[in-house]
Amino acid sequence: MSYGASLPDSYRRAAIYAGRVLKGEKPANLPVMEPTKYDLVINMKTAKVLGLTIPEQLLAVADDVIE
């Protein structure tokens, strides 16, 4: 199970930073942007190997379930 920042959202934010730098802003003057979207990914194959039972409620809210 993993809960972390969304990679597509992180790439989008990096592109925004690059665009601002290319337009002439100084990198030192740019604010630090924290992630706003997080993804919950559950690997059921690994859970079964470890003998873990994942509750259905948790599977329902997961962004991605790896079979």
Side-chain angles (χ1 to χ4, degrees), residues 3-13 17 32-39:
Y3 187 66
S6 169
L7 286 178
D9 187 53
S10 296
Y11 295 147
R12 183 183 62 80
R13 290 178 178 277
Y17 266 92
V32 174
M33 296 170 56
E34 294 184 16
T36 57
K37 184 172 184 325
Y38 293 87
D39 289 337

Side-chain angles (χ1 to χ4, degrees), residues 22-46:
L22 291 173
K23 288 180 183 175
E25 289 190 56
K26 295 182 186 250
N29 294 337
L30 294 176
V32 174
M33 296 170 56
E34 294 184 16
T36 57
K37 184 172 184 325
Y38 293 87
D39 289 337
L40 174 63
V41 179
I42 300 174
N43 188 328
M44 289 301 296
K45 184 176 179 180
T46 302

